[in-house]
Amino acid sequence: MAELISRETVAVEVDYYGLAVEDWDDTHVPVPFPRDWEQGPFLTAHPGRLSFTSAGHTHTATMTIEVWAEEPAEPAGDWEESAVTEISCTSGQLQAQGLTAGPWPEPVRISDKPGTWNVRAQCRGRAEVAVQSRDEAVDGVEQYVLQLWPQA
């Protein structure tokens, strides 16, 4: 059974359907968010960055980032979207942000050293946030889980 190293849940301000997770040291991200972002697929990988298209225009999503010693089982429950990719992280820390909202005030630590990580991203609450965010800014309806484990 895979060992969970850390788990942190944070709020992410989503605006204009966009959000991203990228290396905290954005000098190592060739194209920092939101440059080259277009509303499109659930997840698009770029060097040092993962861009997401949310189902809601403006709202606060929750994102849980789990760091594992090896590939974990998929999280339990029903998920509306799922994707597997990788991210290189030179700082060992990640930040997230919406299109116009700034990054998290504090990074999420994933490692003490640089590395490339496998990532499984899953999301639920998309259908609900698409409806609810039309009329008001909602909080915590759309939920993301990112599972990271080191590449072999």
Side-chain angles (χ1 to χ4, degrees), residues 32-77:
F33 190 72
R35 287 189 10 222
D36 290 351
W37 182 83
E38 292 182 14
Q39 188 175 344
F42 166 64
L43 171 62
T44 305
H46 304 271
R49 172 180 124 198
L50 304 176
S51 298
F52 295 89
T53 296
S54 170
H57 184 281
T58 303
H59 64 100
T60 303
T62 61
M63 182 174 285
T64 301
I65 298 178
E66 300 177 343
V67 179
W68 294 83
E70 58 192 45
E71 183 175 2
E74 291 187 20

Side-chain angles (χ1 to χ4, degrees), residues 5-116:
I5 297 170
S6 66
R7 175 186 287 131
E8 188 169 344
T9 301
V10 294
V12 180
E13 300 300 322
V14 177
D15 48 8
Y16 300 97
Y17 300 98
L19 68 150
V21 173
E22 65 186 15
D23 194 329
W24 179 259
D25 182 358
D26 61 7
T27 63
H28 293 278
V29 180
V31 183
F33 190 72
R35 287 189 10 222
D36 290 351
W37 182 83
E38 292 182 14
Q39 188 175 344
F42 166 64
L43 171 62
T44 305
H46 304 271
R49 172 180 124 198
L50 304 176
S51 298
F52 295 89
T53 296
S54 170
H57 184 281
T58 303
H59 64 100
T60 303
T62 61
M63 182 174 285
T64 301
I65 298 178
E66 300 177 343
V67 179
W68 294 83
E70 58 192 45
E71 183 175 2
E74 291 187 20
D78 295 327
W79 300 93
E80 295 169 69
E81 291 283 355
S82 183
V84 176
T85 189
E86 65 181 41
I87 187 169
S88 292
C89 184
T90 59
S91 69
Q93 302 178 92
L94 296 174
Q95 64 181 347
Q97 64 185 45
L99 275 161
T100 60
W104 293 329
E106 297 295 323
V108 172
R109 185 184 157 282
I110 58 172
S111 178
D112 290 332
K113 58 185 177 185
T116 300

